[in-house]
Amino acid sequence: MRIAVLGGDGYCGWATALYLSRKGHTVAILDSLIRRHWDNELGVQTLTPLSPLPARLQAWREATGESIEAHVGDACDYEFLAGFVREFSPDAVIHFAEQRSAPYSMIDRRHAVGTQVNNVVGTLNLLFALGEFKKDCHLIKLGTMGEYGTPNIDIEEGYIEIEHNGRKDVLPFPKQPGSFYHLSKVHDSHNIAFCCKVWGLRATDLNQGVVYGTVTDESLLDERLINRFDYDEVFGTVLNRFCVQAAIGHPLTVYGKGGQTRGFLDIRDTVRCVELACLNPAAHGEFRVFNQFTEQFSVLDLALQVQAAAKKLGLKTEIDHLPDPRVEAEAHYYNAKHSKLIDLGLQPHLLSDSLLDSLMNIAIRYKDRVDLAMMMPQVNWRNAVNDRSRTAPLAAVAK
Amino acid sequence: MRIAVLGGDGYCGWATALYLSRKGHTVAILDSLIRRHWDNELGVQTLTPLSPLPARLQAWREATGESIEAHVGDACDYEFLAGFVREFSPDAVIHFAEQRSAPYSMIDRRHAVGTQVNNVVGTLNLLFALGEFKKDCHLIKLGTMGEYGTPNIDIEEGYIEIEHNGRKDVLPFPKQPGSFYHLSKVHDSHNIAFCCKVWGLRATDLNQGVVYGTVTDESLLDERLINRFDYDEVFGTVLNRFCVQAAIGHPLTVYGKGGQTRGFLDIRDTVRCVELACLNPAAHGEFRVFNQFTEQFSVLDLALQVQAAAKKLGLKTEIDHLPDPRVEAEAHYYNAKHSKLIDLGLQPHLLSDSLLDSLMNIAIRYKDRVDLAMMMPQVNWRNAVNDRSRTAPLAAVAK
């Protein structure tokens, strides 16, 4: 298949592009490289040293003989995006090209508006490019489990049958997103569903859980193929951050009681889920939703697992319960369905000690790159303005 | 009360500003006047000749002795909007300042993106201005009944109790909006609900039905106070358009079978509903939703009522069933609740022959201003691109 990966230089996007290329698909990456710039803005760097995109692609050619095209530009630039769609003529477009950090979106108005405009306009542009030039292309959009929030009922995959006053209908599952970022994904979902209805587009919304891990079979082939490993309070996802904290002797930063329960998955399952969606496309006019995660954990569960795994490596780890900077339930019911990708053949990589070992060993290897000042939350959901540039402590590098 | 009316130069906004001023409130209008420009862009004019905003306000002073402040600028300009909020320090902000035409949003990508960015960013800016500078201000936001679509179950006011797999929760009513415009209102609703939760803002979302009528007690005081009367295929709402069509002998343009059923209300009820929301504010942290309409009609019902009322005036009227340019069910279940504003004291102006007479007589008075070329739908929901500038027939003025 001809597969375009929008946001293919990012964390999930890069792993996906390599995986699909190795599986024999013709892959093109479209990316504005803005994610690298956000590191600059925040004064942080990924734990792992990233090669420039051209060097990454050169390494891929050398390691596998396969070429991945790169198109550097912004999905919010319609002429650029539509030109790419016409020229590359993809069978499937995988859309990762969004600002994906909840804390980043909560810094202040500029970041909130920037996140929503970037994500909503990029997705609208993609919908129009497909509507104008490539209606049969299958859109695979990265959503988030965070679109649902934490309702007191089971979470279904996108839709729920509701019986009310003696009548029934199957309706979109109600959304209660918890940040301006998560809201942007809800906006996207509504926009995509509508375009499937009016123009007959075909789309799969992958409501992904929290991703952990960094290594995939492909990224191991050459050091220049190494993937991002974000551990900071803005872009670092919780399990990756805990592993880095354990590796350098920093207390694990649990927000509040830690009863916040979410769906999680290994990045090796992210890439496989996306492939399964490609190989089993939505029908014309269909807006399909898969919940893309493999296991549920509470934040405290994860902290305890990391603490135990660290102990086996001879590391003593404390758990700090910080005041929760987010506005969220710290204890709640959570039961989200996630059978559709399993039905298509997903064989999950469940969380294991060996994965935690691997993450902590990567963190130990690169510990000189860890900035301790980036561990503590600086973005408080309760404030309309978080002046991160002022509140950030001076950078302190781990010894 | 000190009440700010954003979009106060528009159709509902102008009527509301006058009504609240006459009721003794201190009213300020904030408006970019872009709605007047959209008429220019589309090559259309309101049936009724509008005075410039300063002349409107001068007439209001002369007629009543009351002053309404005007602040001309864009809600998408945060410095301007936030400066206004700090300076005027409103007790309530009524937010009409959005692009409100579904067909306009469906013209092409530029209009879709423009509508969503304008509406979403304007509302985000307002939320941040309140979050930063006026947290106790009551936000009254104009939403639309179109946020719900046409589910096969009763439509509740904003929330629905769902029982699922033996558990219960009260969740946001699922949304199935039918245009990029309606989608923008859904995005707004989610954004506002979130800000009420995280910052403790207080908001009322008025999910308004289709408004008809043009005259209010206040606008009658001076001809310079006359309100808009849009009859064109882009901004004209259905009942107003039918009355103009009947008055000039044009067939009533029913889209498809005409079984499309919606909630409707008289503009005199719009202004009263807004006042009731002001006088009975939402609690701090509450995101409250009222369905703001008084009666349900199908499009064909309305056409038949207009035809009958026209006959009494000696006008012979045909009904044309055009292919529906929208993607919507032409026959469907529809039962939307609307008791909350009644409970607060709304006494509806139900649709009557005298109102239809009045609308047709206004149309007859201004028939020289009617452009027949603006009657037929030129924006097809099924097309990603509608080149309105190319497809528009040459303007033909009614004799």
Side-chain angles (χ1 to χ4, degrees), chain A residues 31 77 82 87 138 189 205 246 255 264 283 287 320 339 351 395:
Chain A
D31 200 301
D77 173 352
E87 181 193 319
H138 178 208
S189 294
D205 203 357
Y255 298 164
F264 286 80
F287 175 67
D320 270 7
S339 62
L351 182 60

Side-chain angles (χ1 to χ4, degrees), chain A residues 24-87:
Chain A
H25 301 292
T26 303
V27 175
I29 285 174
L30 182 145
D31 200 301
S32 69
L33 309 183
I34 188 74
R35 177 65 191 89
R36 293 173 183 248
H37 179 65
W38 289 328
D39 279 347
N40 297 335
E41 180 202 339
L42 297 171
V44 64
Q45 55 186 358
T46 145
L47 181 72
T48 47
L50 300 191
S51 296
L53 181 56
R56 288 179 142 189
L57 299 176
Q58 176 63 28
W60 185 244
R61 279 190 294 275
E62 292 173 14
T64 65
E66 297 293 337
S67 284
I68 297 177
E69 287 179 32
H71 299 251
V72 175
D74 192 339
C76 291
D77 173 352
Y78 187 66
E79 297 311 313
F80 169 74
L81 179 68
F84 166 76
V85 166
R86 295 171 73 169
E87 181 193 319

Side-chain angles (χ1 to χ4, degrees), chain A residues 109 152 154 156 164-165 167, chain B residues 125 152 156 164-165 167:
Chain A
R109 188 198 68 87
N152 194 38
D154 294 344
E156 301 295 327
H164 181 53
N165 298 347
R167 301 181 62 87
Chain B
N125 279 353
N152 193 39
E156 301 296 329
H164 182 53
N165 297 345
R167 300 181 64 86

Side-chain angles (χ1 to χ4, degrees), chain A residues 78 106 108-109 112-113 116-117 120-121 124-125 128 131-132 135 151-154 156 160-162 164-165 167-180 183 186-187 190-191 194-195 197-199 327-328 333 337 381-385, chain B residues 78 106 108-109 112-113 116-117 120-121 124-125 128 131-132 135 151-154 156 160-162 164-165 167-180 183 186-187 190-191 194-195 197-199 327-328 333 337 381-385:
Chain A
Y78 187 66
M106 297 302 298
D108 58 14
R109 188 198 68 87
V113 170
Q116 292 208 354
V117 170
V120 169
V121 173
L124 282 175
N125 279 353
F128 274 90
E132 280 200 69
K135 269 198 177 166
N152 194 38
I153 59 173
D154 294 344
E156 301 295 327
I160 182 171
E161 183 178 79
I162 299 178
H164 181 53
N165 298 347
R167 301 181 62 87
K168 270 188 196 174
D169 202 354
V170 176
L171 295 171
F173 198 95
K175 302 295 176 73
Q176 297 184 110
S179 75
F180 291 113
L183 283 155
V186 171
H187 307 342
H190 284 105
N191 284 340
F194 174 71
C195 291
K197 180 178 172 192
V198 295
W199 299 335
V327 176
E328 60 187 358
Y333 179 75
K337 305 299 175 65
W381 261 233
R382 290 164 190 82
N383 300 334
V385 182
Chain B
Y78 187 67
M106 296 301 298
D108 58 13
R109 188 196 68 86
V113 170
Q116 292 208 352
V117 169
V120 169
V121 173
L124 282 174
N125 279 353
F128 273 90
E132 278 199 72
K135 267 196 177 169
N152 193 39
I153 59 173
D154 293 345
E156 301 296 329
I160 182 171
E161 182 178 82
I162 299 178
H164 182 53
N165 297 345
R167 300 181 64 86
K168 272 187 194 174
D169 202 355
V170 175
L171 295 172
F173 199 97
K175 302 296 176 70
Q176 297 183 110
S179 75
F180 289 114
L183 282 155
V186 172
H187 306 342
H190 283 105
N191 284 340
F194 174 71
C195 292
K197 180 179 172 192
V198 296
W199 299 334
V327 175
E328 61 188 358
Y333 179 75
K337 304 299 174 64
W381 262 232
R382 292 164 188 82
N383 300 334
V385 182

Side-chain angles (χ1 to χ4, degrees), chain B residues 103-119:
Chain B
Y104 188 87
S105 76
M106 296 301 298
I107 294 175
D108 58 13
R109 188 196 68 86
R110 189 171 62 81
H111 290 82
V113 170
T115 297
Q116 292 208 352
V117 169
N118 180 72
N119 294 1

Side-chain angles (χ1 to χ4, degrees), chain A residues 14-15 18 49-51 53 55-64 68 214-228:
Chain A
W14 177 242
L18 296 187
L50 300 191
S51 296
L53 181 56
R56 288 179 142 189
L57 299 176
Q58 176 63 28
W60 185 244
R61 279 190 294 275
E62 292 173 14
T64 65
I68 297 177
T214 182
V215 171
T216 55
D217 290 347
E218 294 71 44
S219 72
L220 280 175
L221 294 174
D222 187 299
E223 185 144 13
R224 290 169 293 171
L225 299 173
I226 202 164
N227 201 351
R228 301 190 71 89

